[in-house]
Amino acid sequence: MRSIWNGAISFGLVSIPIKLVNATESHSISFRQIHTEDGGRIRYRKFCELEDREVTQAEIGKGYEDADGTIIPITEEDLAHLPIPTARTIEIVAFVPADRIDPLQMDAAYYLAAGGAPAAKPYTLLREALKRSHKVAIAKYALRGRERLGMLRVVGDAIAMHGLLWPDEVRAPEGVAPDTSVTVRDKELDLADALMDTLGEVDLDDLHDEYREAVEEVIAAKAAGEAPPEAPEPAAGGKVLDLMAALEKSVRAAKESRGEEPAEVHPLPRSRTSRAQPKEPAGKKSTAKKTAAKKTTASAKKSTKSAQTGKGTQSKKTAAAKSSASAKSTTAAKKTPAKKTAARKRTA
C-alpha cells in the first residue's frame, strides 16, 4: 500500500518511524458529466482571471483570502515548517479506555506501518502495551494543512489510527429528539426486545453494497444494448397506527425469514366487561348436563299425560299441588331419588 505521510510516533522518549497508509477504500461508482444532446464530456478549465488564460496544474498553488480580499500565497514549504511538534510527529498525549471515545468523533482510518527494521522493536512494544492495557492512545498529528486528533488502537498485528473530530466539531443533538411526551408500555418494550433477539447478530463480512451492484447491472445492460432491469414493486407503506401490531408482525416475519417457528405473541388483556365467564370444572359440567336431560324427559312425560287427561284434570292437579306444596316439601325431597329411578325405568 502506498504511504500518504511519513513521520514518527512520539511515545514519551521513544520515537517510532512510521508510514501512514489508508485503511479504507471506496468502491462507489463515479460518473462523468456529459452533454445530454451529443454525449460529449463536460470539462472544467482553470483560468487565471488576471491573464485570462487557461493554466496547468503545475502552475496552481494555495493562497489564503484575507478579510479585505487580499490573497496571501502559502507554499508547501511554509506548511512543512510549521512551528508545531506535530508537523512530522504523531504525538501521543494520553491513554484512555476505548469507551471514552464517542463514535460521533470517528473520522478517516489509517494503518501505521513500521518505517524500516529499526522501528520493529518500539512498534511491537507499543502494540503489546496497548493490548495488555485494553486502552487506546490519544494523539495529535498534522495532515493536509491542519492539526488533527487521532486514536491509536490494535487491529490484528498492526496499529491503526482513527482520525477524530475535535470535541467542538461535534454538534449537540438539540432539537433532534421528539418534543412530544409519550409513554412506552412494558408490553411494547417486551416485543421490541423479542424482535431484537430474533434478528440477532450478523456477520459484517456478509453485508454488501446492493445499490452499487444494481448500478453495475444497469451499466452492463445499456452497454450491451439491452433494456435495464426493472425495479421491483415498492413495498406497501403507510402510517403505523398500531405499534403493538407492527411489532408483533415484525417478530413473526423475522422468525419466518430464519426458518424458525412463528413467534408466540400474547395479546393484551381484554377489558373486564368483555372477559369470558370462568369455566366450570369438568365434573360439575357433566352433572349439570345429566340433570338438565332428566328434567327435560320428566317434563315431556308430564306434558303428554296432561294432554291425555284434559285441561280440567290438569287444573285440579295444579290446585292440589299448590295447596299441599308447603306441607309435602320435606317428603318430596326424600322421594326425589325414587321418582328419578322410576323415570329412568319408564324411559328405558
Side-chain angles (χ1 to χ4, degrees):
M1 289 184 282
R2 185 175 64 86
S3 64
I4 61 173
W5 184 89
N6 295 334
I9 300 175
S10 175
F11 178 31
L13 298 178
V14 178
S15 180
I16 310 171
I18 57 97
K19 297 178 180 180
L20 193 70
V21 298
N22 284 317
T24 62
E25 58 185 1
S26 174
H27 292 158
S28 61
I29 297 174
S30 59
F31 296 99
R32 303 292 186 185
Q33 290 185 327
I34 62 170
H35 188 199
T36 56
E37 292 186 5
D38 54 21
R41 284 279 304 275
I42 302 296
R43 298 180 183 274
Y44 292 99
R45 297 183 177 181
K46 299 181 179 181
F47 279 78
C48 172
E49 62 180 20
L50 296 180
E51 298 182 8
D52 193 23
R53 69 175 181 88
E54 186 177 356
V55 296
T56 63
Q57 186 62 37
E59 299 177 87
I60 300 173
K62 296 179 181 179
Y64 176 79
E65 186 174 2
D66 207 349
D68 60 358
T70 303
I71 300 296
I72 304 172
I74 301 294
T75 66
E76 292 297 331
E77 186 177 359
D78 294 333
L79 298 176
H81 294 84
L82 290 174
I84 56 174
T86 57
R88 282 292 170 187
T89 303
I90 298 174
E91 182 182 6
I92 295 177
V93 296
F95 293 89
V96 300
D99 58 9
R100 286 270 303 277
I101 305 301
D102 189 339
L104 285 173
Q105 290 184 255
M106 294 288 190
D107 202 359
Y110 308 94
Y111 286 130
L112 303 180
K121 182 66 179 285
Y123 184 98
T124 304
L125 172 64
L126 176 59
R127 183 191 66 199
E128 295 304 313
L130 288 171
K131 276 186 181 180
R132 192 167 72 171
S133 67
H134 300 290
K135 293 183 177 181
V136 297
I138 303 301
K140 295 169 67 177
Y141 64 102
L143 182 66
R144 297 190 179 112
R146 68 186 188 96
E147 189 173 57
R148 302 166 186 260
L149 198 61
M151 179 191 76
L152 278 64
R153 68 183 184 96
V154 178
V155 177
D157 291 331
I159 298 175
M161 182 173 71
H162 295 269
L164 298 179
L165 300 175
W166 295 97
D168 60 358
E169 292 179 314
V170 179
R171 301 170 63 183
E174 296 178 0
V176 177
D179 57 0
T180 303
S181 179
V182 296
T183 301
V184 178
R185 294 175 292 174
D186 289 340
K187 195 73 176 179
E188 293 168 335
L189 282 174
D190 291 343
L191 278 172
D193 289 341
L195 179 58
M196 292 168 63
D197 292 339
T198 303
L199 292 176
E201 298 183 358
V202 65
D203 187 351
L204 295 181
D205 291 334
D206 294 337
L207 302 179
H208 57 280
D209 187 351
E210 296 183 23
Y211 180 85
R212 176 173 59 86
E213 293 176 355
V215 172
E216 289 174 345
E217 290 180 10
V218 171
I219 294 173
K222 298 200 74 172
E226 302 172 356
E230 295 184 0
E233 289 293 329
K239 294 180 67 176
V240 178
L241 300 179
D242 189 341
L243 181 58
M244 288 293 293
L247 286 170
E248 291 170 359
K249 187 176 180 180
S250 299
V251 172
R252 283 194 294 268
K255 279 191 173 272
E256 290 171 1
S257 68
R258 289 173 172 267
E260 301 177 11
E261 292 295 326
E264 181 181 351
V265 179
H266 301 283
L268 290 174
R270 299 179 180 177
S271 61
R272 293 183 178 179
T273 56
S274 62
R275 286 180 181 169
Q277 294 297 326
K279 295 182 179 179
E280 295 182 359
K284 292 184 178 180
K285 190 173 182 181
S286 177
T287 304
K289 286 183 177 179
K290 288 180 181 178
T291 305
K294 291 173 184 177
K295 288 182 178 179
T296 303
T297 305
S299 178
K301 288 185 177 181
K302 286 180 181 180
S303 299
T304 305
K305 191 173 183 180
S306 297
Q308 292 173 352
T309 56
K311 294 182 179 179
T313 306
Q314 184 179 7
S315 300
K316 291 177 182 179
K317 287 183 178 180
T318 304
K322 287 183 178 179
S323 62
S324 60
S326 177
K328 295 181 179 180
S329 58
T330 305
T331 306
K334 292 180 179 179
K335 291 182 179 181
T336 300
K339 288 182 179 180
K340 289 183 178 180
T341 304
R344 289 196 189 100
K345 288 181 179 180
R346 286 197 297 269
T347 303

